[in-house]
C-alpha cells in the first residue's frame, strides 16, 4: 500500500525557542485545564490533549466494580445517534443531542438547568456532533451546518453564533479548545459523499481561531489550496480540485510554546495541500511552524467504496490502490519524555505516530492494526489518552478492535486487551449476532489506575491501567426511563468522543452506528456512580 507507512514531507524548521518539561509548565487560567475539584470542562480534559483526569479519586480500581446506573437522559426516538461528548463544570453537565439541542443538566441528579435549541439560528435541521467546551462563563460548540455557538453557561442564552463555512456539507465535528481568549476549532465536510451528480468538490478544510468573547475571526489556516475548475466527471458534471483535508477532531495546544497541533483528513479531489497531516501552528498568528504528511496519496470519495465499475470511475487513483481514506481523525496527545516534548496521534491506517513537537520529525511509530482500504475502519478513530505513565490507544474494527498500553518513550506494547470475546454473545447484543462487531469506537479516557473504553457491542468497560484486565462492565442495551420523561435504550458506545469521569460519576453517550434501533425508544446519555 503506497503511502500507508507515512512518508514524511514538508517539515520546515520550527520557530519555537524553548521546549520545557511538563512539570515546568504553567497554563493560563482559561486554558481549560482540569480544575483541582475534578471538573472535565472540554473534550480532551486539558490543553495538552491527555484525556486524563488526575483529580478523580472517588472511583478507584478497588471499588469500580460497584458502579451502577444513577440516571439517564433519553433522546426522541426519531433523533438518531448521539456523538457529543459531555463536559462537566461547576456541578453541571453539558451535552449536545442528535435532536439539535444543547442541554445543561444537574451533574448528579440529571435535573434540568436549561436547553438551547439550535433551530433559533439559521435554517434547516441540525445536530450537535462535537463536545462542548466550558470556559469564561460560556459554553462553546458547533453543529453539522458549519456554525459555532457561544451560549451563557448559567442561562443558556445565546451570546453569539458564527457560520464558519457555508460550503455544501460543511460540518463542525471538531470540539472547540479555548486558550488565552481564543476559541480554536476545525471544520470538515461530507461533500465527498454527496453523490455522482454533485460538482465535487469545492470544500477545503481549515482550522480557525476566533475571539472567545465576540466570535470574530482572528485567523484561519486552510489545509489545501483554493479549488479550481479541473475538467469534468464522466457524467459531464464539473470537477474541482484540490479539495478536502478536513479537520475532524479537536486540537491540542502547548501553553508554553503557544503552538496548536491538529490532524487533517484525506483529499476529496486532486493532490495538493496538507492532507493526512499533522499541523503545528503558531497560536497567535496561525502561521505554520511545521507540517508533517503521513500518507503520500489519499484521494477518496464515497464511490471509492463501491464495487460497481461505473461508480469507480468517479474515484481518483483507485486503479493504483491509493484511494485509502487514511485520514487523521483522532485528536493529538502532547507529553514529555526525558525533557523532550512529543506529539502523538493515531491514524486510520492503524499507526500511532509520535513526533518531536518542535520539529515534526518522527521519534517512533507503532502499527497496531492491519490497514483496511476504502474506509480505514480498522485503525485509530477519535483519540487516545496519556496518564503520565503510559499511552492508551484503541483500534476500531480491527478483527477484533484492541486496547493497547504503550511505552511513551519507545512505543513498545506493555499490554493489549482485545474486545472481549463474549461481547456479542451476551447482553442485548446477543439478539443481533449478524450486525454486532467487536470493536472500539470511542476515544480512550483515563483516571488514576483505570482506563475507560466503550465497545460496539454496547458494553461500557473499565480496565486496569496496570494490566489491561477488565474491572467492570455494563451492558447499555437495555430499556430505561430517562429523567426527561422519555423512554431510552442504550447501544454501541458513541464515537466522536469518549467517556467523561468527574466527581465520582461516569458519563457516556450510548447508541451509535451498527446499533439496531426499534422505533419505540431513543438513544441516551447514561451516568454511572456508586
Amino acid at each position: 500500500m503506497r503511502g500507508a507507512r507515512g512518508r514524511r514531507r514538508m517539515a520546515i524548521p520550527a520557530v519555537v525557542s524553548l521546549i520545557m518539561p511538563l512539570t515546568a509548565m504553567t497554563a493560563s487560567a482559561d486554558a481549560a485545564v482540569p480544575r483541582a475539584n475534578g471538573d472535565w470542562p472540554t473534550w480532551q480534559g486539558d490543553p495538552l490533549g491527555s484525556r486524563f483526569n488526575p483529580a478523580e479519586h472517588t472511583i478507584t480500581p478497588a471499588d469500580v466494580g460497584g458502579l451502577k446506573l444513577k440516571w439517564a437522559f433519553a433522546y426522541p426516538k426519531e433523533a438518531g445517534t448521539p456523538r457529543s461528548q459531555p463536559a462537566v463544570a461547576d456541578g453541571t453537565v453539558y451535552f449536545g443531542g442528535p435532536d439539535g439541542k444543547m442541554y445543561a443538566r444537574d451533574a448528579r441528579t440529571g435535573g434540568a438547568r436549561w436547553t438551547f435549541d439550535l433551530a433559533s439560528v439559521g435554517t434547516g435541521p441540525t445536530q450537535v456532533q462535537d463536545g462542548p467546551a466550558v470556559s469564561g462563563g460560556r459554553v462553546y460548540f458547533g453543529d453539522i451546518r458549519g456554525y459555532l455557538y457561544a451560549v451563557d453557561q448559567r442561562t443558556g442564552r445565546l451570546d453569539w453564533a458564527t457560520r464558519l463555512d457555508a460550503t455544501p456539507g460543511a460540518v463542525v465535528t471538531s470540539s472547540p479548545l479555548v486558550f488565552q481568549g481564543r476559541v480554536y476549532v476545525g471544520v470538515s465536510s461530507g461533500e465527498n459523499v454527496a453523490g455522482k451528480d454533485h460538482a465535487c468538490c469545492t470544500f477545503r478544510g481549515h482550522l480557525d481561531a476566533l475571539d472567545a468573547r465576540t466570535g470574530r475571526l482572528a485567523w484561519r489556516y486552510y489545509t489545501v489550496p483554493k479549488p479550481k475548475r479541473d475538467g469534468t466527471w464522466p457524467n459531464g458534471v464539473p470537477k474541482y480540485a484540490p479539495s478536502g483535508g478536513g479537520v475532524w477532531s479537536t486540537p491540542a495546544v502547548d501553553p508554553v510554546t503557544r503552538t496548536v497541533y491538529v490532524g487533517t483528513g484525506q483529499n476529496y479531489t486532486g493532490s495538493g495541500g496538507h492532507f493526512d497531516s499533522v499541523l503545528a501552528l503558531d497560536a497567535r498568528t496561525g502561521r505554520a511552524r511545521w507540517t508533517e504528511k503521513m500518507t503520500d496519496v489519499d484521494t477518496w470519495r464515497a464511490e471509492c467504496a463501491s464495487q460497481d465499475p461505473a461508480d469507480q470511475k468517479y474515484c481518483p487513483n483507485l486503479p493504483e490502490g491509493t484511494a485509502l481514506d487514511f485520514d487523521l481523525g483522532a485528536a493529538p496527545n502532547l507529553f514529555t519524555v526525558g525533557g523532550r516534548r512529543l506529539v502523538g496521534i493515531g491514524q486510520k491506517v492503524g499507526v500511532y505516530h509520535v513526533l518531536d513537537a518542535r520539529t515534526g520529525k518522527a521519534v517512533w511509530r507503532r502499527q497496531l492494526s492491519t490497514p483496511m482500504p476504502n474506509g480505514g475502519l480498522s485503525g485509530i478513530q477519535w483519540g487516545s489518552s496519556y496518564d503520565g505513565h503510559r499511552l492508551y490507544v484503541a483500534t476500531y474494527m480491527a478483527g477484533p478492535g484492541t486496547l493497547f498500553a504503550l511505552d511513551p518513550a519507545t512505543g513498545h506494547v506493555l499490554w493489549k486487551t482485545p474486545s472481549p470475546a463474549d461481547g456479542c454473545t451476551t447482553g442485548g447484543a446477543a439478539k443481533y449476532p449478524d450486525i454486532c462487531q467487536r470493536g472500539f469506537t470511542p476515544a480512550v479516557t483515563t483516571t488514576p489506575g483505570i482506563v475507560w473504553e466503550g465497545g460496539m457491542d454496547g458494553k461500557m468497560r473499565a480496565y486496569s491501567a496496570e494490566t489491561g484486565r477488565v474491572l467492570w462492565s455494563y451492558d447499555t442495551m437495555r430499556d430505561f426511563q430517562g429523567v426527561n420523561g422519555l423512554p431510552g435504550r442504550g447501544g454501541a458506545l458513541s464515537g466522536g468522543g469518549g467517556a467523561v469521569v468527574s466527581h465520582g460519576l461516569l458519563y457516556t453517550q450510548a447508541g451509535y452506528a451498527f446499533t439496531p434501533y426499534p422505533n419505540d425508544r431513543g438513544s441516551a446519555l447514561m451516568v454511572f456512580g456508586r
Side-chain angles (χ1 to χ4, degrees):
M1 272 175 310
R2 202 166 111 204
R5 291 306 300 262
R7 298 173 197 159
R8 300 166 301 284
R9 294 181 177 178
M10 297 182 294
I12 59 176
V15 298
V16 184
S17 61
L18 181 64
I19 301 294
M20 298 176 66
L22 181 61
T23 54
M25 294 175 54
T26 303
S28 69
D30 64 346
V33 297
R35 303 175 189 178
N37 64 1
D39 280 359
W40 188 292
T42 190
W43 191 91
Q44 63 282 79
D46 57 40
L48 302 178
S50 75
R51 296 193 57 82
F52 171 59
N53 191 344
E56 176 52 51
H57 298 294
T58 301
I59 305 174
T60 69
D63 59 23
V64 65
L67 288 181
K68 296 179 174 59
L69 183 67
K70 304 298 287 186
W71 61 270
F73 180 97
Y75 300 106
K77 60 187 179 183
E78 65 277 2
T81 59
R83 291 178 57 168
S84 175
Q85 178 184 290
V88 178
D90 301 321
T92 301
V93 57
Y94 305 88
F95 55 98
D99 55 351
K101 295 180 174 63
M102 174 59 63
Y103 294 97
R105 313 287 293 196
D106 183 283
R108 302 210 68 82
T109 67
R113 295 279 171 85
W114 52 257
T115 300
F116 175 78
D117 191 344
L118 279 66
S120 63
V121 177
T123 59
T126 190
Q127 294 182 1
V128 181
Q129 292 194 348
D130 66 348
V134 183
S135 179
R138 296 183 181 89
V139 182
Y140 302 90
F141 55 94
D143 74 359
I144 62 171
R145 300 175 302 177
Y147 281 91
L148 185 70
Y149 303 80
V151 302
D152 185 276
Q153 178 185 351
R154 186 177 58 85
T155 66
R157 178 182 59 85
L158 179 68
D159 279 353
W160 54 260
T162 299
R163 195 171 193 184
L164 302 178
D165 200 309
T167 306
V171 298
V172 178
T173 62
S174 170
S175 298
L177 173 65
V178 183
F179 175 67
Q180 294 189 340
R182 286 182 176 173
V183 185
Y184 299 88
V185 65
V187 179
S188 193
S189 168
E191 188 184 12
N192 61 331
V193 298
K196 294 178 290 187
D197 294 331
H198 175 69
C200 180
C201 282
T202 60
F203 171 79
R204 52 179 177 158
H206 47 96
L207 183 73
D208 292 354
L210 300 95
D211 184 287
R213 184 176 58 85
T214 66
R216 187 173 296 113
L217 185 68
W219 56 256
R220 171 170 293 168
Y221 186 92
Y222 283 108
T223 62
V224 299
K226 187 174 182 179
K228 297 179 181 180
R229 178 71 182 267
D230 186 29
T232 61
W233 295 104
N235 60 355
V237 171
K239 176 183 178 183
Y240 296 88
S243 62
V247 178
W248 294 98
S249 62
T250 187
V253 63
D254 187 323
V256 173
T257 65
R258 293 174 174 80
T259 305
V260 179
Y261 300 88
V262 76
T264 69
Q266 82 282 354
N267 273 357
Y268 297 166
T269 52
S271 59
H274 303 296
F275 63 90
D276 289 3
S277 297
V278 179
L279 310 178
L281 309 178
D282 185 303
R284 183 179 61 85
T285 66
R287 183 168 66 90
R289 292 180 165 170
W290 54 261
T291 69
E292 193 76 359
K293 184 173 289 186
M294 303 303 176
T295 308
D296 287 335
V297 182
D298 189 11
T299 304
W300 192 89
R301 57 183 288 185
E303 286 71 24
C304 298
S306 173
Q307 300 302 311
D308 187 339
D311 287 343
Q312 293 177 0
K313 293 178 182 179
Y314 296 82
C315 179
N317 304 314
L318 183 61
E320 292 86 6
T322 57
L324 305 169
D325 191 22
F326 285 163
D327 53 291
L328 287 95
N333 313 111
L334 287 169
F335 53 97
T336 301
V337 175
R340 185 185 190 187
R341 174 69 88 220
L342 304 175
V343 54
I345 191 168
Q347 188 177 3
K348 285 167 70 175
V349 70
V351 176
Y352 188 84
H353 306 267
V354 172
L355 314 175
D356 186 292
R358 184 177 63 86
T359 67
K361 299 300 182 183
V363 177
W364 58 261
R365 305 178 192 275
R366 178 62 61 185
Q367 183 86 43
L368 299 177
S369 61
T370 302
M372 178 190 295
N374 295 332
L377 296 178
S378 65
I380 303 159
Q381 293 291 310
W382 284 105
S384 307
S385 184
Y386 175 68
D387 66 358
H389 304 286
R390 307 172 192 86
L391 287 161
Y392 305 92
V393 186
T395 56
Y396 191 14
M397 293 191 293
T402 300
L403 179 63
F404 295 85
L406 305 179
D407 184 321
T410 65
H412 291 166
V413 175
L414 302 174
W415 54 255
K416 62 179 181 180
T417 301
S419 174
D422 65 353
C424 291
T425 60
T426 59
K431 300 177 183 178
Y432 309 100
D434 293 338
I435 63 172
C436 181
Q437 299 196 48
R438 293 168 58 198
F440 293 127
T441 313
V444 184
T445 299
T446 55
T447 56
I450 302 176
V451 184
W452 305 89
E453 179 66 351
M456 295 170 64
D457 56 11
K459 315 294 194 300
M460 183 66 221
R461 298 181 178 93
Y463 299 81
S464 166
E466 292 283 344
T467 66
R469 180 173 62 90
V470 176
L471 302 175
W472 170 82
S473 178
Y474 186 92
D475 178 28
T476 70
M477 294 184 68
R478 62 184 70 188
D479 295 347
F480 54 82
Q481 191 73 12
V483 293
N484 55 331
L486 295 179
R489 179 180 293 114
L493 275 296
S494 182
V500 167
V501 185
S502 175
H503 301 286
L505 294 175
L506 161 67
Y507 304 82
T508 187
Q509 297 270 32
Y512 190 57
F514 313 109
T515 299
Y517 263 96
N519 60 13
D520 61 333
R521 289 177 180 266
S523 53
L525 171 78
M526 306 183 76
V527 183
F528 302 88
R530 289 192 290 112

